[in-house]
Amino acid sequence: MAIRLGDVAPNFKATTTEGEIDFYQWMGDKWAVLFSHPKDFTPVCTTELGAVAKLKPEFEKRGVKVIGLSVDAVKDHAGWSKDIEETQGARLNFPLIADADRKVSDLYDMIHPNANDTFTVRSVFVIDNNKKVRLTITYPASTGRNFDEILRTIDSLKLTSNHQVATPVNWKQGDDVIIVPALSNEDAKKKFPNGWKELKPYLRIVPDPSKQTTT
Ligand code: BEZ
């Protein structure tokens, strides 16, 4: 069954390049990005895994762990990781699940038979520290993902979880945000005492509240 936003991310045990894991134990109290790629020793996947390895400090800064998956065996992952390091200039620094029996792929609906009945598509699940699924993205095999965009969505998810705001189109950390329509003007005055720019009664703009210093 498809996994939807707000669902509890199912737990699993798996073999990875860093040994056997229980997913929940591996996450601990952190958020996680679980992403699948179609196949080892393929060009787009090689560039993606190099990019994620380089971005690992950015994920860590946000309290997020990353873990990849394909239906290849762990010995393939180990051999391929040398190619990733050689061609992308980054050593694999996060676990890759070897899902040869497709247990996790099936659990997370990562194989889309009308696209390819053998390999996983490029799925992304952002899972919060309560094990809730907060974001899902699916790309086809031929299109590499933009992991800066995944960092951007994590910034939005964390900000909007902590403040009664939403982030507008193309928002990035530090940009102005939108007061959620559910917050009345009366309550908004308490939360945003410096006021807001009201373009429409439902479109109220305030500076990023996480960047505000209190005086
Ligand atoms: C790739 O990673 O380059 C790739 C994998 C499967 C199908 C097409 C491209």
Side-chain angles (χ1 to χ4, degrees):
M1 210 173 81
I3 292 178
R4 295 177 175 172
L5 301 188
D7 288 355
V8 173
N11 195 23
F12 56 84
K13 290 186 175 23
T15 304
T16 79
T17 47
E18 298 184 6
E20 302 294 316
I21 64 152
D22 169 285
F23 184 55
Y24 279 9
Q25 273 176 21
W26 173 82
M27 279 184 72
D29 60 359
K30 306 280 191 215
W31 287 43
V33 172
L34 167 65
F35 68 99
S36 57
H37 60 270
K39 189 151 179 57
D40 293 4
F41 300 104
T42 51
V44 177
C45 299
T46 302
T47 61
E48 283 192 330
L49 291 222
V52 175
K54 285 181 195 159
L55 285 174
K56 193 180 172 202
E58 290 299 320
F59 286 103
E60 279 177 345
K61 237 194 262 174
R62 292 161 173 81
V64 180
K65 299 178 86 171
V66 287
I67 186 163
L69 173 150
S70 77
V71 294
D72 297 287
V74 83
K75 71 169 179 4
D76 294 322
H77 288 350
W80 182 40
S81 68
K82 294 191 191 105
D83 292 358
I84 294 168
E85 188 169 356
E86 182 191 322
T87 63
Q88 307 304 306
R91 181 189 283 268
L92 207 60
N93 52 9
F94 55 90
L96 270 190
I97 296 169
D99 194 37
D101 61 3
R102 300 173 172 208
K103 209 177 66 188
V104 182
S105 316
D106 286 341
L107 189 63
Y108 277 78
D109 197 29
M110 291 165 164
I111 294 176
H112 295 195
N114 291 325
N116 187 304
D117 59 8
T118 313
F119 305 130
T120 40
V121 290
R122 297 187 194 281
S123 299
V124 183
F125 296 89
V126 175
I127 300 162
D128 71 17
N129 53 335
N130 293 316
K131 313 293 187 290
K132 286 270 173 69
V133 175
R134 301 293 298 275
L135 177 84
T136 65
I137 313 179
T138 308
Y139 274 48
S142 52
T143 304
R145 286 158 287 199
N146 181 337
F147 284 88
D148 289 325
E149 166 63 1
I150 292 162
L151 285 168
R152 189 191 75 87
T153 59
I154 290 168
D155 288 338
S156 170
L157 288 168
K158 293 212 162 198
L159 180 71
T160 57
S161 299
N162 294 328
H163 301 273
Q164 284 177 293
V165 296
T167 58
V169 60
N170 295 338
W171 174 88
K172 47 190 190 330
Q173 226 176 22
D175 287 354
D176 289 351
V177 298
I178 293 166
I179 301 172
V180 291
L183 197 67
S184 68
N185 278 349
E186 195 185 352
D187 289 336
K189 272 183 205 139
K190 293 179 205 141
K191 271 200 92 63
F192 306 102
N194 294 332
W196 54 85
K197 190 162 76 184
E198 185 164 307
L199 302 180
K200 289 282 174 192
Y202 58 83
L203 182 50
R204 298 167 295 175
I205 312 286
V206 281
D208 179 341
S210 71
K211 303 290 176 204
Q212 299 303 294
T213 48
T214 46
T215 48

